[in-house]
């Protein structure tokens, strides 16, 4: 067997664990079941799965363009935004060229860069767990092809403001693509945080990545979208897509989620999570955990060397959190009852 040596050196993607009888706060999912209208649309679509999907997701692309106020040519639907991240790297970076991102950030970035053969440039977050955009600018070289800015950042929940981002984008060379990963944008309540779509006209090298997995509750179906300032980039993302990877069921479920009544209901759930986030955050601070403010559907406990013990202590109490050994634990905001279960565990562990 001949396997690429790069794979041996590659970090493994560790998904949040599911443990029978325990509550799972490890994967930033929403805790609510799919809406009946969405399930009904999936059931209808299932009757046609002897056929291949529409490879261009035409109807969904048109619906998104209309909904977002952009041209159809700027939009590309993908098999989850993680797939769009991959397609983008493959579209812009050749082997030996550089993909930059903050660290710690979404743990798929290093894997995607390594698989595509690009070099990863990881720029440490500030002491406050926020993107260090000035340090990122300093690391740009002639080989830099793509920069991910994850806003809010996974796993820290921290954000960069519109002013900070605009200053950054003005300083990035125009031939470097910036991917603004807004997987959690619907949970943002801080008015200083930009809606990336409003920056596309000024910055043709910007691509906004979003997903139906989080706020829209379709994590299991795999559908997300990219909106590019420059339609050429959207087209290139289409060229690197695995054919037929966005299933008919995923396309139809996303369309059903964009129906006004469904979207209103889904975004009310998001409101409830944003309210719970503030409650959990305040309580964790009370308990003495040095949690940075979060604008996402999770909070970050930067526990350093104590992380693994904390996660094990939570698991003993039937609560599964996402531990990044040596760095911190990320805990998804869920229903009030599940959040209480976590807070009880956190209180016991703080006292022990
Ligand atoms: N970007 C970020 C920052 C994420 O946290 C995630 C999910 N963990 C994704 C992208 C990918 O989401 P999906 O592929 O489900 O759309």
């Amino acid at each position: 067997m001949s396997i690429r040596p790069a794979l041996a050196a590659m970090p493994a993607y560790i998904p949040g664990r599911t443990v029978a009888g325990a509550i799972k706060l490890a994967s930033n999912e929403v805790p609510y079941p799919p809406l009946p209208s969405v399930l009904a649309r999936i059931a209808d679509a299932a009757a046609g799965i002897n056929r291949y999907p529409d490879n261009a997701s035409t109807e969904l692309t048109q619906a998104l363009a209309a909904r977002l106020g952009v041209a159809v040519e700027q939009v590309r639907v993908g098999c989850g935004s993680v797939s769009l991240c991959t397609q983008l790297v493959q579209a812009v970076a050749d082997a030996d060229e550089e993909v930059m991102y903050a660290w710690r950030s979404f743990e798929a970035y290093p894997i995607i860069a390594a698989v595509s053969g690009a070099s990863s440039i990881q720029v440490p977050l500030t002491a406050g767990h926020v993107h260090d955009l000035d340090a990122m600018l300093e690391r740009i070289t002639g080989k830099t092809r793509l920069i991910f800015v994850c806003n809010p950042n996974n796993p820290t929940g921290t954000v960069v403001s519109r002013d900070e981002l605009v200053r950054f984008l003005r300083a990035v060379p125009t031939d470097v693509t910036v991917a603004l990963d807004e997987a959690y944008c619907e949970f943002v309540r801080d008015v200083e945080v930009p809606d990336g779509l409003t920056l596309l006209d000024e910055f043709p090298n910007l691509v906004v990545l979003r997903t139906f997995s989080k706020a829209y509750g379709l994590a299991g179906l795999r559908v997300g979208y990219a909106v590019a300032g420059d339609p050429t980039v959207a087209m290139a993302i289409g060229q690197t897509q695995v054919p037929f990877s966005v299933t008919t069921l995923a396309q139809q479920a996303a369309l059903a989620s964009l129906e006004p009544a469904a979207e209103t209901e889904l975004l009310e759930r998001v409101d409830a999570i944003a309210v719970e986030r503030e409650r959990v955050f305040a309580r964790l601070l009370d308990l003495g955990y040095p949690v940075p403010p979060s604008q996402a559907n999770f909070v970050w406990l930067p526990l350093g060397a104590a992380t693994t013990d904390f996660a094990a202590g939570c698991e003993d109490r039937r609560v599964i959190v996402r531990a990044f050994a040596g760095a911190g634990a990320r805990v998804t905001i869920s229903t009030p009852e599940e959040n209480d279960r976590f807070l009880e565990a956190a209180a016991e562990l703080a006292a022990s």
Side-chain angles (χ1 to χ4, degrees):
M1 268 198 304
S2 170
I3 306 288
R4 287 168 56 203
L7 298 199
M10 213 169 72
Y13 185 89
I14 307 169
R17 293 190 313 122
T18 303
V19 176
I23 59 173
K24 182 186 177 200
L25 305 180
S27 294
N28 297 344
E29 299 146 335
V30 292
Y32 311 108
L35 297 181
S37 62
V38 174
L39 281 179
R41 187 80 77 96
I42 293 169
D44 282 352
I49 56 169
N50 53 313
R51 306 288 178 194
Y52 281 103
D54 169 6
N55 193 43
S57 301
T58 312
E59 200 186 342
L60 179 55
T61 306
Q62 284 168 352
L64 283 166
R67 164 87 175 69
L68 304 171
V70 296
V72 169
E73 294 72 29
Q74 291 177 273
V75 181
R76 189 75 207 187
V77 171
C79 173
S81 60
V82 72
S83 177
L84 290 160
C85 294
T86 308
Q87 289 164 243
L88 194 51
V89 172
Q90 291 181 345
V92 302
D94 260 321
D96 296 338
E97 293 186 318
E98 292 172 356
V99 174
M100 187 191 296
Y101 45 87
W103 199 248
R104 181 168 289 275
S105 189
F106 181 30
E107 65 166 326
Y109 300 152
I111 298 171
I112 290 167
V115 169
S116 73
S119 304
S120 270
I121 305 297
Q122 301 185 337
V123 182
L125 297 170
T126 66
H129 313 284
V130 181
H131 274 70
D132 190 340
L133 295 178
D134 289 335
M136 292 175 83
L137 284 177
E138 278 169 25
R139 298 290 299 279
I140 293 176
T141 70
K143 289 193 164 186
T144 310
R145 297 270 49 91
L146 179 67
I147 305 176
F148 283 106
V149 176
C150 187
N151 205 36
N153 188 44
N154 175 10
T156 57
T158 51
V159 287
V160 293
S161 70
R162 166 177 280 271
D163 288 353
E164 289 161 340
L165 191 61
V166 166
R167 196 155 41 84
F168 173 78
L169 289 168
R170 289 198 175 133
V172 172
T174 51
D175 63 341
V176 175
T177 303
V178 177
L180 186 61
D181 186 338
E182 293 191 332
Y184 301 97
C185 65
E186 295 87 354
F187 299 95
V188 170
R189 292 294 174 272
D190 178 346
V191 295
E192 300 291 317
V193 177
D195 169 344
L197 299 178
T198 63
L199 300 170
L200 291 174
D201 283 345
E202 189 180 353
F203 302 104
N205 57 335
L206 183 65
V207 183
V208 175
L209 303 176
R210 293 192 179 166
T211 180
F212 285 93
S213 295
K214 312 292 179 183
Y216 291 82
L218 297 181
L221 270 179
R222 318 303 307 124
V223 53
Y225 57 95
V227 188
D230 180 351
T232 319
V233 176
M235 204 190 299
I237 298 174
Q239 288 180 294
T240 53
Q241 178 184 331
V242 173
F244 305 120
S245 53
V246 188
T247 67
T248 307
L249 304 194
Q251 293 177 37
Q252 289 302 321
L255 278 163
S257 304
L258 291 173
E259 293 289 342
E263 194 172 37
T264 303
E265 195 170 345
L266 290 167
L267 295 181
E268 277 167 14
R269 295 169 160 193
V270 169
D271 272 339
I273 298 226
V275 169
E276 275 295 287
R277 171 183 74 212
E278 299 311 317
R279 183 176 75 90
V280 171
F281 171 67
R283 176 72 181 133
L284 288 171
L285 286 187
D286 279 350
L287 291 169
Y289 292 99
V291 181
S294 168
Q295 288 292 308
N297 67 336
F298 51 84
V299 287
W300 174 243
L301 285 71
L303 299 171
T307 301
T308 323
D309 281 352
F310 178 83
C314 287
E315 186 162 339
D316 289 345
R317 292 160 177 82
R318 316 306 285 159
V319 177
I320 309 301
V321 303
R322 182 75 169 82
F324 296 90
R330 189 193 68 199
V331 186
T332 305
I333 304 297
S334 180
T335 58
E337 299 71 35
E338 292 198 352
N339 297 334
D340 281 342
R341 284 269 303 277
F342 163 65
L343 288 172
E344 280 160 29
E348 285 177 23
L349 293 164
S352 68

